[in-house]
Amino acid sequence: FPAATHMGWQELPPGEAMQAALVLRAEDQGLNSWRDIAPYVAACKKYVSKRPQQEIAVADNGLTLTWAELGRSLARLERILPELDRQPTLLAKEFRWYRRGPDVGFTGYFEPSLKASWVETPRFNHPLYRLPPDVRKGRQYHDREAIDERGVLKGRGLEIAWVEDKIGAYFLQVQGSGRLEFEDGTVKHVLYAGKNNCSYVSLGRVMKEKGLLEPDNVSMQTIRNYLALHPQEVSALFCENPSYVFFRLADSGPIGAMGVPLLPRASLATDSRVIPLGALMAFSVPLPDEMGNQGRGGLLAGIGLAQDRGGAIKGNRADLFCGAGPWAEHVAGYLDMQGAMFLLVAK
C-alpha cells in the first residue's frame, strides 16, 4: 500500500478495500484456515460486551465508534468466518475499512524460552520474582539496581524460579512473558504479574547514546551480541533501566492485557487511546529478511486483534506478538517498520 498521508482515520473507497482484503492470507499468519481465529474473536467480543455499550470507544480524526459498534463488527466477523476461506472478498463487502494515518510504526515481541530450576544452584543463580505484597499501584518501588545488584528482595521467599542466563532474564522482562523449561522436564509459562512503577528506559537507546551501537543498527540481536562480548558491562547497562517486572507461573499463555491467550502473528499491543482493546483490525507490514534487513523479508498482511498493551507502546505504534521459536525471536528482534493499519467496522 502507498503510505498514508492523512491524519487520523480515513475510510477506503470500495475498490481499495477490496484490493486490501485480497492481500490478506491466513497461511501467512500460521493459520490453516480463517476459522482458526474464532476463539480469539470470541474473547474480544466477550471483553467488548462488558464495556458500557453506548460509550465512545474510538474518537479520533475522521472516526467515532461506540463499544456496541466494535462488538457488532466482531460478531459480523464471527458470522462470516466459515465462508472467508472461499470468499475473501467478504471482508470488503461486509466491512468499512478505515485506514490509520500516518502509517503505524510496527515493532514485535515474542515468547522467549529459558532453561530454569526450581531451586538456586551454582548454574541457576538468577532469580525471577513474584509480585511483592508491599508494591503499591502508582508508587515507585525498589529499582533494578536495588533488586538485582543489592539483593533487597532476597530472603523473602519471593523467588518463583532461577535461570542461568542473566541476559535472558532481562529480555524476559522486556518481553513480559515467556516459557521456562525446568530440569525435571516441566514446562511452565511465566506471565507478567506487575512492575515496580519505575520509568522504563530503552537499553537500545542507552547503548546508542553511549556510542556502543551504531545508530542504524540497534536490535535485540545486536544488543545481545554486544553484551555477550562485554560481560563486565552487563550489570551497569541493565541498571540504566530502573523498571523491573514481576512474574507468575501458569500452565497456559502468554496472556495479554485482556486476560486471554494471545494469537501469534495476529494479536497486537496498541495504545488504547488510539486503538482500544478488543478492536478488529487488518494490517500489512514488511518483515525483515534472514539477515535482519528491514522490509526485505516479504509482507505480512492479515487480520489483527487488539489484545494487549505495552508500556512503550504509545500513540501511532503497534507491537505484533510473533509467537515462540526462532522465527518469532528473529522478527521480534529486528522488526521496526512503518505499516498500514485498518479498523474494520461492520456495515
Side-chain angles (χ1 to χ4, degrees):
F1 301 100
T5 57
H6 60 273
M7 298 294 294
W9 300 97
Q10 187 172 84
E11 185 175 359
L12 290 187
E16 291 185 23
M18 186 69 70
Q19 180 185 20
L22 291 172
V23 172
L24 310 188
R25 297 172 58 85
E27 54 266 38
D28 289 350
Q29 293 185 270
L31 305 170
N32 295 315
S33 164
W34 286 123
R35 293 188 296 273
D36 294 346
I37 71 171
Y40 302 90
V41 176
C44 287
K45 190 175 74 169
K46 182 178 180 180
Y47 175 86
V48 167
S49 71
K50 294 179 179 179
R51 309 298 296 175
Q53 294 298 284
Q54 298 311 311
E55 283 193 6
I56 300 300
V58 177
D60 206 345
N61 293 344
L63 187 62
T64 300
L65 298 171
T66 64
W67 288 103
E69 289 173 301
L70 293 186
R72 282 196 292 272
S73 299
L74 292 161
R76 182 71 58 83
L77 180 60
E78 276 189 321
R79 182 172 64 79
I80 68 171
L81 276 178
E83 304 299 322
L84 197 52
D85 292 326
R86 293 189 301 108
Q87 301 183 62
T89 55
L90 285 174
L91 283 176
K93 295 175 181 177
E94 298 283 342
F95 294 91
R96 293 185 175 90
W97 288 56
Y98 290 90
R99 184 171 181 177
R100 180 75 187 176
D103 283 343
V104 171
F106 279 84
T107 50
Y109 65 117
F110 76 110
E111 188 183 27
S113 183
L114 279 73
K115 301 293 185 183
S117 171
W118 295 109
V119 297
E120 185 177 15
T121 70
R123 174 186 171 190
F124 296 95
N125 56 7
H126 299 291
L128 303 178
Y129 291 109
R130 64 172 49 88
L131 183 67
D134 52 337
V135 172
R136 296 291 178 265
K137 186 175 181 179
R139 185 181 302 173
Q140 287 192 359
Y141 193 64
H142 299 298
D143 65 11
R144 181 175 299 278
E145 191 275 336
I147 295 172
D148 277 351
E149 304 306 319
R150 291 192 278 119
V152 296
L153 298 185
K154 286 185 177 180
R156 295 180 55 182
L158 296 171
E159 298 89 350
I160 60 171
W162 280 261
V163 298
E164 61 180 336
D165 182 5
K166 182 171 184 172
I167 297 173
Y170 180 87
F171 280 103
L172 178 67
Q173 293 202 6
V174 172
Q175 300 300 318
S177 65
R179 297 180 187 184
L180 299 182
E181 300 175 359
F182 289 90
E183 291 184 292
D184 62 5
T186 301
V187 176
K188 287 284 189 179
H189 292 269
V190 59
L191 306 180
Y192 175 89
K195 59 184 179 179
N196 64 348
N197 300 312
C198 294
S199 297
Y200 175 81
V201 175
S202 166
L203 179 58
R205 180 170 61 81
V206 168
M207 295 175 70
K208 181 172 64 175
E209 291 174 351
K210 290 179 177 290
L212 306 179
L213 296 175
E214 296 295 328
D216 59 350
N217 191 27
V218 178
S219 69
M220 184 172 65
Q221 285 82 353
T222 58
I223 294 171
R224 278 183 175 274
N225 291 341
Y226 182 92
L227 296 174
L229 293 172
H230 303 85
Q232 72 281 2
E233 299 179 34
V234 168
S235 292
L237 284 170
F238 284 175
C239 288
E240 295 273 359
N241 175 22
S243 179
Y244 205 90
V245 170
F246 304 105
F247 295 104
R248 62 185 176 90
L249 294 177
D251 293 324
S252 62
I255 305 296
M258 284 174 44
V260 299
L262 300 174
L263 177 60
R265 310 189 199 187
S267 295
L268 292 151
T270 61
D271 184 341
S272 294
R273 296 169 299 180
V274 179
I275 301 174
L277 284 175
L280 171 62
M281 298 171 288
F283 67 94
S284 174
V285 61
L287 297 178
D289 67 11
E290 60 186 12
M291 300 301 295
N293 297 305
Q294 293 292 338
R296 296 184 180 180
L299 193 69
L300 177 61
I303 293 175
L305 299 168
Q307 292 186 301
D308 208 0
R309 299 189 184 104
I313 307 304
K314 303 296 183 186
N316 230 34
R317 288 196 58 200
D319 211 15
L320 174 68
F321 176 60
C322 297
W327 182 93
E329 182 173 1
H330 177 80
V331 173
Y334 283 109
L335 182 60
D336 187 9
M337 285 291 292
Q338 299 296 113
M341 180 71 79
F342 309 89
L343 268 177
L344 303 187
V345 181
K347 291 182 178 178

